Amino acid sequence: MPLTPLDIHNKEFGKRLRGYDEDEVNEFLDQIIKDYELLIRENKELQNQLGTLQEKLGHFANIEETLSKTIIVAQEAADELKNNAKKEAQLIVKEAEKNADRIINDSLVKSRKIAMEAEELKKQAAIYRARFRALIESQMELLSQDGWESLEGSEPRIREIE
């Protein structure tokens, strides 16, 4: 067990002939007591400071650990978000490609249909033109026949209604 200032104060030495000066020894012991008490107080203060600093260190270590975990979780979340965004982007691109293919195919079908309709209209126009020409030619033939001149000289008869 370590010495206390009281132990030093109560310490008594045996007396001998030609021994040390008792007052000098007592003065020196008093000085040792004061210094020892001062050291004990400083030691207690340092222990208290050490305890406080250890508490703070523990607190900061907990904060550091929490921040590290938070950073790891945030990084994992960012990675997961990034991966999900890539997957979603790929799905959007695939869907867009499907839609583009569908639109192109629909457009090709419509284009072919319109081209066929246009060809059909050209054929019908050619047939109509040929029939119209035949009709005009037949009408011209009728007009050029001799029977029309005899009709030109006579007056039309109007029938009266009773």
Side-chain angles (χ1 to χ4, degrees):
M1 183 158 141
L3 285 176
T4 65
L6 191 59
D7 291 338
I8 296 171
H9 182 66
N10 291 332
K11 178 67 178 165
E12 290 192 19
F13 296 97
K15 295 187 182 173
R16 294 197 173 168
L17 198 66
R18 294 174 52 205
Y20 293 106
D21 181 4
E22 194 175 324
D23 289 336
E24 260 185 64
V25 170
N26 286 337
E27 253 181 62
F28 186 70
L29 287 175
D30 287 343
Q31 184 62 42
I32 291 175
I33 290 170
K34 286 179 190 176
D35 291 347
Y36 196 65
E37 283 178 345
L38 181 64
L39 288 174
I40 289 173
R41 267 187 263 129
E42 285 178 0
N43 190 17
K44 282 186 181 181
E45 286 177 19
L46 289 174
Q47 285 178 348
N48 288 339
Q49 286 179 354
L50 178 64
T52 302
L53 291 175
Q54 284 177 334
E55 268 183 45
K56 287 182 180 179
L57 181 63
H59 177 71
F60 288 126
N62 286 340
I63 289 173
E64 179 185 19
E65 184 179 340
T66 302
L67 287 175
S68 294
K69 288 179 182 177
T70 303
I71 289 170
I72 290 171
V73 168
Q75 183 63 44
E76 289 172 354
D79 290 343
E80 185 176 338
L81 187 63
K82 184 178 170 184
N83 289 335
N84 287 343
K86 280 183 182 179
K87 288 178 184 176
E88 190 173 336
Q90 289 172 346
L91 288 174
I92 289 171
V93 167
K94 284 182 182 178
E95 188 67 28
E97 287 173 348
K98 281 183 189 177
N99 286 338
D101 288 343
R102 183 184 49 78
I103 290 169
I104 289 171
N105 288 336
D106 288 350
S107 297
L108 287 173
V109 167
K110 286 179 183 177
S111 169
R112 288 183 187 130
K113 184 178 176 184
I114 290 171
M116 288 173 56
E117 287 175 357
E119 283 299 315
E120 184 63 30
L121 286 173
K122 284 180 185 178
K123 287 178 186 175
Q124 287 178 5
I127 292 170
Y128 175 76
R129 196 169 153 216
R131 286 183 181 168
F132 193 62
R133 177 177 280 142
L135 177 66
I136 289 176
E137 287 174 356
S138 70
Q139 293 299 319
M140 290 294 286
E141 237 177 80
L142 279 175
L143 286 174
S144 62
Q145 288 179 0
D146 292 336
W148 286 100
E149 283 106 21
S150 64
L151 288 176
E152 288 177 357
S154 66
E155 289 188 22
R157 284 196 265 167
I158 301 178
R159 207 167 119 193
E160 290 185 23
I161 301 176
E162 294 179 15

